[in-house]
PDB file of all heavy atoms in Angstrom:
ATOM      1  N   LEU A1132       2.471  17.649 -15.399  1.00 83.00           N
ATOM      2  CA  LEU A1132       1.472  18.698 -15.551  1.00 83.00           C
ATOM      3  C   LEU A1132       0.074  18.141 -15.327  1.00 83.00           C
ATOM      4  O   LEU A1132      -0.203  16.963 -15.593  1.00 83.00           O
ATOM      5  CB  LEU A1132       1.590  19.330 -16.938  1.00 83.00           C
ATOM      6  CG  LEU A1132       2.965  19.933 -17.256  1.00 83.00           C
ATOM      7  CD1 LEU A1132       2.968  20.555 -18.646  1.00 83.00           C
ATOM      8  CD2 LEU A1132       3.362  20.971 -16.214  1.00 83.00           C
ATOM      9  N   LYS A1133      -0.808  18.993 -14.839  1.00 82.00           N
ATOM     10  CA  LYS A1133      -2.141  18.556 -14.444  1.00 82.00           C
ATOM     11  C   LYS A1133      -3.018  18.096 -15.610  1.00 82.00           C
ATOM     12  O   LYS A1133      -4.086  17.548 -15.394  1.00 82.00           O
ATOM     13  CB  LYS A1133      -2.844  19.664 -13.659  1.00 82.00           C
ATOM     14  CG  LYS A1133      -2.272  19.848 -12.258  1.00 82.00           C
ATOM     15  CD  LYS A1133      -2.978  20.950 -11.491  1.00 82.00           C
ATOM     16  CE  LYS A1133      -2.423  21.077 -10.081  1.00 82.00           C
ATOM     17  NZ  LYS A1133      -3.023  22.192  -9.323  1.00 82.00           N
ATOM     18  N   GLY A1134      -2.556  18.318 -16.819  1.00 80.00           N
ATOM     19  CA  GLY A1134      -3.328  17.882 -17.968  1.00 80.00           C
ATOM     20  C   GLY A1134      -3.261  16.389 -18.246  1.00 80.00           C
ATOM     21  O   GLY A1134      -3.970  15.882 -19.117  1.00 80.00           O
ATOM     22  N   ILE A1135      -2.421  15.658 -17.523  1.00 83.00           N
ATOM     23  CA  ILE A1135      -2.291  14.225 -17.784  1.00 83.00           C
ATOM     24  C   ILE A1135      -3.549  13.483 -17.322  1.00 83.00           C
ATOM     25  O   ILE A1135      -4.319  13.980 -16.497  1.00 83.00           O
ATOM     26  CB  ILE A1135      -1.050  13.622 -17.091  1.00 83.00           C
ATOM     27  CG1 ILE A1135      -1.227  13.628 -15.566  1.00 83.00           C
ATOM     28  CG2 ILE A1135       0.210  14.344 -17.498  1.00 83.00           C
ATOM     29  CD1 ILE A1135      -0.196  12.795 -14.838  1.00 83.00           C
ATOM     30  N   SER A1136      -3.722  12.289 -17.840  1.00 87.00           N
ATOM     31  CA  SER A1136      -4.881  11.481 -17.454  1.00 87.00           C
ATOM     32  C   SER A1136      -4.664  10.888 -16.062  1.00 87.00           C
ATOM     33  O   SER A1136      -3.537  10.825 -15.557  1.00 87.00           O
ATOM     34  CB  SER A1136      -5.087  10.349 -18.459  1.00 87.00           C
ATOM     35  OG  SER A1136      -4.059   9.379 -18.344  1.00 87.00           O
ATOM     36  N   MET A1137      -5.752  10.434 -15.461  1.00 88.00           N
ATOM     37  CA  MET A1137      -5.645   9.835 -14.128  1.00 88.00           C
ATOM     38  C   MET A1137      -4.872   8.513 -14.174  1.00 88.00           C
ATOM     39  O   MET A1137      -4.193   8.160 -13.219  1.00 88.00           O
ATOM     40  CB  MET A1137      -7.039   9.620 -13.543  1.00 88.00           C
ATOM     41  CG  MET A1137      -7.750  10.900 -13.152  1.00 88.00           C
ATOM     42  SD  MET A1137      -6.854  11.883 -11.886  1.00 88.00           S
ATOM     43  CE  MET A1137      -6.066  13.152 -12.881  1.00 88.00           C
ATOM     44  N   ASP A1138      -4.977   7.797 -15.286  1.00 89.00           N
ATOM     45  CA  ASP A1138      -4.191   6.565 -15.436  1.00 89.00           C
ATOM     46  C   ASP A1138      -2.702   6.879 -15.476  1.00 89.00           C
ATOM     47  O   ASP A1138      -1.877   6.158 -14.887  1.00 89.00           O
ATOM     48  CB  ASP A1138      -4.585   5.815 -16.715  1.00 89.00           C
ATOM     49  CG  ASP A1138      -5.919   5.093 -16.574  1.00 89.00           C
ATOM     50  OD1 ASP A1138      -6.360   4.891 -15.413  1.00 89.00           O
ATOM     51  OD2 ASP A1138      -6.519   4.745 -17.605  1.00 89.00           O
ATOM     52  N   GLU A1139      -2.351   7.971 -16.164  1.00 88.00           N
ATOM     53  CA  GLU A1139      -0.940   8.379 -16.230  1.00 88.00           C
ATOM     54  C   GLU A1139      -0.449   8.823 -14.860  1.00 88.00           C
ATOM     55  O   GLU A1139       0.697   8.556 -14.479  1.00 88.00           O
ATOM     56  CB  GLU A1139      -0.768   9.507 -17.248  1.00 88.00           C
ATOM     57  CG  GLU A1139      -0.931   9.068 -18.690  1.00 88.00           C
ATOM     58  CD  GLU A1139      -0.913  10.236 -19.666  1.00 88.00           C
ATOM     59  OE1 GLU A1139      -1.533  11.276 -19.373  1.00 88.00           O
ATOM     60  OE2 GLU A1139      -0.275  10.108 -20.735  1.00 88.00           O
TER      61      GLU A1139
END
Side-chain angles (χ1 to χ4, degrees):
L1132 302 181
K1133 288 180 178 176
I1135 68 168
S1136 70
M1137 289 300 101
D1138 284 342
E1139 289 173 318

